[in-house]
Amino acid sequence: MKQLIIHGDPGIRKGAIIEVDGERVVCFGINRNGEWHGPEEVQLWCTVGAESEYGDFERRNFIPHFLDVERVDADAVDVVRPQGELAV
C-alpha cells in the first residue's frame, strides 16, 4: 500500500483500477485537492495498493504517515477501470 499523488485528473474515482509504471493497483480512497486554492491543476491524493490489501485499508491496519509516496502526472496513468462498481 502506498500514497499516490496524481497531478491532474485522469478521470478516476474510488475503486478505480489504474496502471502506473507497469504496476496495476486499486484506488482505495481519493482526496481531491486544489479546487479553490492551491496549484493551477487539481491533485488527486490516492491511497492505492493490491486488491489483497483492501481488508487492511478497511480496518485501518496501517499508519498513513508511514506510507511510501509517489508522484506522477495524469498522463502517466493508464486507467483500466475508472471507478468502482458502486460509485455514483
Side-chain angles (χ1 to χ4, degrees):
M1 198 176 325
K2 64 183 173 182
Q3 190 77 11
L4 181 66
I5 301 173
I6 302 174
H7 298 279
D9 188 359
I12 60 172
R13 300 294 173 255
K14 181 179 175 182
I17 298 175
I18 60 174
E19 194 168 310
V20 180
D21 295 333
E23 180 184 10
R24 187 174 282 199
V25 292
V26 179
C27 295
F28 301 139
I30 298 177
N31 293 325
R32 189 175 175 93
N33 298 315
E35 291 279 88
W36 297 95
H37 306 291
E40 292 180 9
E41 63 182 1
V42 69
Q43 291 181 353
L44 300 181
W45 290 42
C46 310
T47 304
V48 300
E51 289 185 40
S52 61
E53 295 176 314
Y54 186 69
D56 287 336
F57 176 78
E58 277 189 320
R59 291 187 298 275
R60 301 288 185 221
N61 194 18
F62 66 98
I63 301 173
H65 297 307
F66 295 125
L67 291 177
D68 292 335
V69 178
E70 185 178 332
R71 294 175 176 265
V72 296
D73 288 329
D75 299 337
V77 175
D78 294 326
V79 179
V80 177
R81 184 179 75 189
Q83 61 191 12
E85 295 176 9
L86 296 177
V88 176

